[in-house]
Amino acid sequence: MINVGIVGGTGYTGVELLRLLCKHPQAKVSVITSRAEAGIPVSDLYPNLRGHVDLCFSEPDVEALGKCDVVFFATPHGVAQNLMPALMATGTRVIDLSADFRIRDAELWAHWYDQAHGCPELISEAVYGLPENNRAAIKSARLVACPGCYPTAAQLGLLPLLENELVDPTGLIISAASGASGAGRQAKVGMLLTENSGSFKAYGVSGHRHLPEIEQALHDAQPAAAVPAAVTFVPHLLPMVRGIHVTSYARALNPDTLPDLQRVFEERYVDEPFVDVLPEGQVPETRSVKGSNMCRISVCQPQGRDTIVILSVIDNLTKGASGQAIQNMNIMFGFEESAGLDVVALLP
Amino acid sequence: MINVGIVGGTGYTGVELLRLLCKHPQAKVSVITSRAEAGIPVSDLYPNLRGHVDLCFSEPDVEALGKCDVVFFATPHGVAQNLMPALMATGTRVIDLSADFRIRDAELWAHWYDQAHGCPELISEAVYGLPENNRAAIKSARLVACPGCYPTAAQLGLLPLLENELVDPTGLIISAASGASGAGRQAKVGMLLTENSGSFKAYGVSGHRHLPEIEQALHDAQPAAAVPAAVTFVPHLLPMVRGIHVTSYARALNPDTLPDLQRVFEERYVDEPFVDVLPEGQVPETRSVKGSNMCRISVCQPQGRDTIVILSVIDNLTKGASGQAIQNMNIMFGFEESAGLDVVALLP
Amino acid sequence: MINVGIVGGTGYTGVELLRLLCKHPQAKVSVITSRAEAGIPVSDLYPNLRGHVDLCFSEPDVEALGKCDVVFFATPHGVAQNLMPALMATGTRVIDLSADFRIRDAELWAHWYDQAHGCPELISEAVYGLPENNRAAIKSARLVACPGCYPTAAQLGLLPLLENELVDPTGLIISAASGASGAGRQAKVGMLLTENSGSFKAYGVSGHRHLPEIEQALHDAQPAAAVPAAVTFVPHLLPMVRGIHVTSYARALNPDTLPDLQRVFEERYVDEPFVDVLPEGQVPETRSVKGSNMCRISVCQPQGRDTIVILSVIDNLTKGASGQAIQNMNIMFGFEESAGLDVVALLP
Amino acid sequence: MINVGIVGGTGYTGVELLRLLCKHPQAKVSVITSRAEAGIPVSDLYPNLRGHVDLCFSEPDVEALGKCDVVFFATPHGVAQNLMPALMATGTRVIDLSADFRIRDAELWAHWYDQAHGCPELISEAVYGLPENNRAAIKSARLVACPGCYPTAAQLGLLPLLENELVDPTGLIISAASGASGAGRQAKVGMLLTENSGSFKAYGVSGHRHLPEIEQALHDAQPAAAVPAAVTFVPHLLPMVRGIHVTSYARALNPDTLPDLQRVFEERYVDEPFVDVLPEGQVPETRSVKGSNMCRISVCQPQGRDTIVILSVIDNLTKGASGQAIQNMNIMFGFEESAGLDVVALLP
């Protein structure tokens, strides 16, 4: 049984970590911090945890966190990078759910996040935590940077095509939609039920912070990586709580010699516990992964034309954040990869 | 490990039984029947079960069901009663989620369900499956009649008051609201998303079939049971999927000598694994029990007047149906009562 | 064509006033104030008004407002009472949508609103703006206090019973539910889509500010008014935007000589343009009044017992606020009462 | 005042026609047919129309319809084409909201709709009813084929680019999403609230019937029309009632000499009463057009790269169906084009 610390436990990724970890057979949360709620029982904020979690929030404290075997950061960007040097000096391993260590180029990070990076010296040590692509490196990592929610769903949908050099990496279209929990638990007029229920819109069209992460990852995925991936990424806001749906459009490089795409996808993910390639002709619904760590994927080639369509769904709080973070923890500590994550999606 | 059969597995209580039982440590579903879907994999109908349940639906068959240790009926009313004599002759134990054996008076049943009862001779053997009130009888029962969803939430809210003769049983008001999954998975215009999303209404005002069940149970709950309980019950339809919220209003018999109600409730349920009396001043939200078997309850006495208000919430598919059915199974087979049911509600 | 001013136009009652008034044949909004948004076009905040409203928000200014024929206050409580003396000195007529002048007893107001009343001297001049009960007084009023949303729906449902002394006024139960727009356009965590979508709860159980308003009005409605009305009022929050549904429970005083209730209701409202008594056996849905100024009502007596159930629905922003305010304006200025309000509810 | 007939008035486009026409200053619905509901008052089916519409449904009858000045078909495909010859022989003008006369090539129609066309001889007479592109022909048309909902939103977004030959017509991506009312008022399990609330999915990925209509229209829009437009069209189902959102992706032909796109769009639509090009940097929300006949559009070029993104929203039942049909009627009869359609969207 390992000891787990959580920094920033009052947001939705924090409560999702608790929901899953409180039933994990080999991990126990012993510290959960929140400056604003210090002293308050966790279950006062999240009544679903009454009877399951007895902890109170505490002030962030490097010494207490350093005694944990692993610390999760469930904080907005900018927080983890400032605590990281002191925390890693304690020898604890860290899984960062925020964006702080996802981008390898500190200047690119600074450009998109509009602030200098507070800890550029540790960026190179950070391992990108997409198990389906990086399992070996995660196993021995001291610091794992968990992928963003959109990048997770987008990559799992596009990796088989890019790894096999089947599509033009310079004209990728990623049309994505997320439930409102992706925006976190902040008091903003724009995220009120009254402002979003029964409505749908795009946002961040001129540039969303997940774009450079997606392009970096898709570039890496190509064998030769000669051509930088160029992505047009448009996220949309769904009038619902959980779920990401990504519809990707990619142009086949050699339409006439394209292999059986269904088989390409099935073979790519045959051993993956959390990627489910649907039978031909079925499409994934976000509700089929609600509360679970699964990603479900379909691929098709409408009218046999050159444009390939890939549909991928995840729960943004689970495979898109806290579930994937625990999957990374399981890999790092040699646990069964699905320990604590063998959850059936809640349907209906 | 016991073998479980499910009759009528294509509805929402069927898929909910599967969601929970496929992770149960001591029970395994070996047969699931559906005339309409015989031969089809369960996971084709319910994609959340892909990777968790490998069964196909089969034709209902008493011989195959009779080999099970226990059989659940997740069927509309009228089905269980016809299969029951043959099935019980095999010696298997039965847990009926339908309304067939809830009402002790066959004529009253016939009046409310508008058909003669098909198996009146077995009604007296049926044990009413509300564990919080009837645990001992359930333990040895051959046939358990699981309570309806509204009656479960209503009883748990009112039992402490009636058992202690604190309120007038003849003027009870039960104002309740349910998510749309309570209406089942039937193709009806009235249950389309377009007909209910963003709207709210009462239904069954002139008489809902759960009324006689509620009155029978509340009558039984009184020590002397001299006065028949008389309830005004108005259910409403919520624009959401899961959850029942019951607001009960009861008039204190002796307002001046009323004991501390918070304490009455806490003491009544102190040992119950699935009833949570909230701290004074908190109110229950249906989302705090979504997908869990918990009932959360508040009691208060607005302005210190004579009318007591009790708020109780459950997930209609879990504590209101399939979860409670499994709780009954656990009691019947001597398992830990919360085996397979130790699930945290999905929030947000 | 009269000139209209609106104080506090950035909230939902403000935009609802604009939606309706911009098509009104005899009224034109010439001033709309907002300290926070002064200088900003109204349609930047509310894109549905693009092409319909050309105004910009301006700083509140008594001189500019005083030039209007009528001024609406669409502000939180506490604002209108402070501006009122100066504004009324200009001779303009005022329609206050806030709670400031609804309660006749300034001390009772201070108790429930937790602050001293800023303008007690004008309370007695305020006319309570429920046209169905007070049309003559409204016609000549200089200051109209529009009823709250819950009180409007509750009164319209109960007036016929109380006016005819058919029910016990001391044991009324009002179980009500509102869409989230009733909470206004404030940035609060508790009103996020993620906190309310797919969930339902009660709130304000120990005492909601609409309670004293309801009791005052129901007391007034009785011919003799000997017995103070005593109400248990429990509001609930619906996971949707617009709509109030009130389920009222009242005990018949003389069950054996109760007149035909359907007829009592139909006769009471036969000449009312905005009250629709549904045919016997039908129940009102909130969507049937979405965006309209209509109140739809059903009455029934389940199982012929002593408890009468009344169901009434309104759109909380229209008949519950801005629509009713315009109805009052029409009465005050001698316009057709339904001018600008002859809108069909948006269904589906 | 002209007389209007409606064939097939029980669906959502039927009730939307009634909502708008009952307030139209120059048109009056005198006949509304429904085989299934003949004899029933319209307002029994649609309670929002109580007090506004007094009609009963009647059996379809060519003689009665033929006395109308104009007849709307609000029927599933396949119905209008069979009644059309007899009806047009009466001399009445017809506006068909169904798909029967949208496609000029009867064989293409037969391929996509999986049945032979019942009235190929009248196809050439049908005028495609997109006023923004075809106003003159509509004016004198005897038979107008109203565009589909997706095609309306897609065309309005792409016309300015194709008319000016700014983008490659062979690689267009149209990623679209619709509220559930687009599926009509049919009792289907897949359209239940329980199956769609809180979830999102694509559908018709391998080929949706609106694809050939979109391709035909976009082909026509090009000046030379040398290159057939090739579109990848993926519709998605939103967990809400009304609204279509189309996100189109088009590759610039000459990125270096691209004109100011904002200006291209503004100039294209400067005189259009129902197309609103949003200011640069704003994105359209579906709620900003709920219940209105407006289409709101944004165009942008993320990161200044070659891919242009166009966002367009309509209400699928209004500008996507019944509102546009009335707009066509207004043009045909020389009324003000916005007569009866000057409605502000319902927000919030």
Side-chain angles (χ1 to χ4, degrees), chain A residues 186-207:
Chain A
Q186 311 296 323
K188 293 181 203 158
V189 167
M191 299 309 295
L192 294 174
L193 183 139
T194 41
E195 297 286 309
N196 292 293
S197 185
S199 193
F200 185 63
K201 65 173 179 184
Y203 65 99
V205 184
S206 63

Coordinates of all heavy atoms in Angstrom, one line a residue, chain A residues 186-207:
Chain A
Q186 N -14.8 26.8 -11.3 CA -14.6 28.2 -11.1 C -15.9 28.9 -11.2 O -16.7 28.6 -12.1 CB -13.6 28.8 -12.1 CG -12.3 28.0 -12.3 CD -11.5 27.9 -11.1 OE1 -11.4 28.9 -10.3 NE2 -10.9 26.8 -10.8
A187 N -16.1 29.9 -10.4 CA -17.3 30.7 -10.5 C -17.1 31.7 -11.6 O -16.5 32.8 -11.5 CB -17.5 31.5 -9.2
K188 N -17.7 31.3 -12.8 CA -17.6 32.2 -14.0 C -19.0 32.3 -14.6 O -19.7 31.3 -14.7 CB -16.7 31.7 -15.0 CG -15.2 31.6 -14.7 CD -14.5 31.0 -15.9 CE -13.1 30.4 -15.5 NZ -12.6 29.4 -16.4
V189 N -19.5 33.5 -14.9 CA -20.8 33.7 -15.5 C -20.9 32.8 -16.7 O -21.9 32.1 -16.9 CB -21.0 35.2 -15.9 CG1 -22.2 35.3 -16.8 CG2 -21.2 36.0 -14.6
G190 N -19.9 32.7 -17.5 CA -19.9 32.0 -18.8 C -20.2 30.5 -18.6 O -20.5 29.8 -19.5
M191 N -20.0 30.0 -17.4 CA -20.1 28.5 -17.2 C -21.4 28.2 -16.4 O -21.5 27.1 -15.9 CB -18.9 27.9 -16.5 CG -17.6 28.1 -17.3 SD -17.7 27.5 -19.0 CE -18.0 25.8 -18.8
L192 N -22.2 29.2 -16.1 CA -23.5 28.9 -15.4 C -24.3 28.0 -16.2 O -24.3 27.9 -17.5 CB -24.2 30.2 -15.2 CG -23.6 31.3 -14.3 CD1 -24.4 32.6 -14.3 CD2 -23.5 30.7 -12.9
L193 N -25.2 27.2 -15.5 CA -26.2 26.4 -16.2 C -27.0 27.3 -17.2 O -27.3 26.9 -18.3 CB -27.1 25.7 -15.2 CG -28.1 24.7 -15.8 CD1 -28.2 23.4 -15.0 CD2 -29.4 25.3 -16.0
T194 N -27.4 28.4 -16.7 CA -28.3 29.3 -17.5 C -27.6 29.8 -18.8 O -28.3 30.2 -19.7 CB -28.7 30.5 -16.7 OG1 -27.5 31.0 -15.9 CG2 -29.8 30.2 -15.7
E195 N -26.3 29.8 -18.8 CA -25.6 30.3 -20.0 C -25.3 29.2 -21.0 O -25.0 29.4 -22.2 CB -24.3 31.0 -19.6 CG -24.5 32.2 -18.7 CD -25.0 33.4 -19.5 OE1 -24.4 33.7 -20.5 OE2 -26.0 34.0 -19.1
N196 N -25.4 27.9 -20.6 CA -24.9 26.8 -21.4 C -26.0 25.7 -21.7 O -25.9 25.0 -22.7 CB -23.7 26.2 -20.9 CG -22.5 27.1 -20.9 OD1 -22.0 27.4 -22.0 ND2 -22.1 27.6 -19.7
S197 N -26.9 25.6 -20.8 CA -27.9 24.5 -21.0 C -28.7 24.8 -22.2 O -29.1 25.9 -22.5 CB -28.8 24.5 -19.8 OG -29.7 23.5 -19.8
G198 N -28.9 23.8 -23.0 CA -29.6 23.9 -24.3 C -28.9 24.8 -25.3 O -29.6 25.3 -26.2
S199 N -27.6 24.9 -25.2 CA -26.9 25.7 -26.2 C -25.5 25.0 -26.6 O -25.1 24.1 -25.8 CB -26.6 27.1 -25.8 OG -26.2 27.9 -26.8
F200 N -24.9 25.4 -27.6 CA -23.7 24.8 -28.1 C -22.9 25.9 -28.8 O -23.5 26.7 -29.6 CB -24.0 23.6 -29.1 CG -22.8 22.8 -29.6 CD1 -22.0 22.1 -28.7 CD2 -22.5 22.8 -30.9 CE1 -21.0 21.3 -29.1 CE2 -21.4 22.0 -31.4 CZ -20.7 21.3 -30.5
K201 N -21.6 25.9 -28.7 CA -20.8 26.9 -29.3 C -19.3 26.4 -29.4 O -18.9 25.5 -28.6 CB -20.8 28.2 -28.6 CG -20.2 28.1 -27.2 CD -20.1 29.5 -26.5 CE -19.5 29.3 -25.1 NZ -19.4 30.6 -24.4
A202 N -18.6 27.0 -30.3 CA -17.1 26.8 -30.4 C -16.5 27.8 -29.4 O -17.1 28.7 -29.0 CB -16.6 27.0 -31.8
Y203 N -15.2 27.5 -29.1 CA -14.5 28.5 -28.3 C -13.0 28.3 -28.6 O -12.6 27.3 -29.1 CB -14.8 28.4 -26.8 CG -14.3 27.1 -26.2 CD1 -13.1 27.0 -25.4 CD2 -15.1 25.9 -26.3 CE1 -12.7 25.8 -24.9 CE2 -14.6 24.7 -25.7 CZ -13.5 24.7 -25.0 OH -13.1 23.5 -24.4
G204 N -12.2 29.3 -28.2 CA -10.8 29.1 -28.5 C -10.4 28.9 -29.9 O -9.4 28.2 -30.2
V205 N -11.3 29.4 -30.8 CA -11.0 29.0 -32.3 C -9.7 29.6 -32.8 O -9.0 29.0 -33.6 CB -12.2 29.6 -33.1 CG1 -12.0 29.2 -34.6 CG2 -13.5 29.1 -32.6
S206 N -9.4 30.8 -32.3 CA -8.1 31.4 -32.8 C -6.9 30.7 -32.2 O -5.8 31.0 -32.6 CB -8.2 32.9 -32.5 OG -8.2 33.1 -31.1
G207 N -7.1 29.9 -31.2 CA -5.9 29.2 -30.6 C -6.1 28.7 -29.2 O -6.2 29.5 -28.3

